[in-house]
Amino acid sequence: QVQLVESGGGLVQAGGSLRLSCAASGRTFSSDAMGWFRQAPGKERELVALIFGDEMTTYYEDSVKGRFTISRDNAKNTVYLQMNSLKPEDTAVYYCAADRFPTKLLTRLADYWGQGTQVTVSS
């Protein structure tokens, strides 16, 4: 059974940092694109960052460029999101997702999703 399990969320003050982790199990995801999404109350789920299986090719949503860094360790089947200089508008539930086809992440149609982890940034 394939599972994605996020961890690392919490409450942080504006300007602080958090590191999210997403551990995948059930099969090897080294060839998959993996990404982080977030959904704030009353808003649509949006793609925050994406990383391809080569561990190098990345994409970031404009509002997080320069503040967030996505990385992965294929040996551990894990993807990370380092979030620095956090702002109150970053408050959301953050989800990990994976799919063999990067375009399916870009269109929010990924095959595999985690349950989400809450990130709250206080002002």
Side-chain angles (χ1 to χ4, degrees), residues 10-79:
L11 173 64
V12 64
Q13 288 189 331
S17 298
L18 283 174
R19 188 192 195 208
L20 305 183
S21 299
C22 172
S25 62
R27 67 167 177 83
T28 300
F29 282 82
S30 58
S31 297
D32 289 50
M34 300 187 77
W36 288 95
F37 292 74
R38 66 186 179 187
Q39 188 166 19
K43 294 188 177 181
E44 289 189 349
R45 189 172 299 188
E46 63 174 354
L47 176 62
V48 174
L50 170 68
I51 187 166
F52 283 48
D54 62 6
E55 299 185 356
M56 293 185 293
T57 306
T58 58
Y59 161 87
Y60 294 94
E61 194 269 330
D62 284 346
S63 69
V64 307
K65 285 180 181 177
R67 301 189 297 123
F68 291 11
T69 302
I70 189 170
S71 62
R72 65 191 292 168
D73 185 338
N74 285 339
K76 296 182 178 180
N77 235 15
T78 300
V79 63

Side-chain angles (χ1 to χ4, degrees), residues 1 9 12 18 24 43 48 56 61 82 92 103 117 119-122:
Q1 181 181 359
V12 64
L18 283 174
K43 294 188 177 181
V48 174
M56 293 185 293
E61 194 269 330
Q82 178 66 45
T103 52
T117 185
V119 171
T120 303
V121 184
S122 63

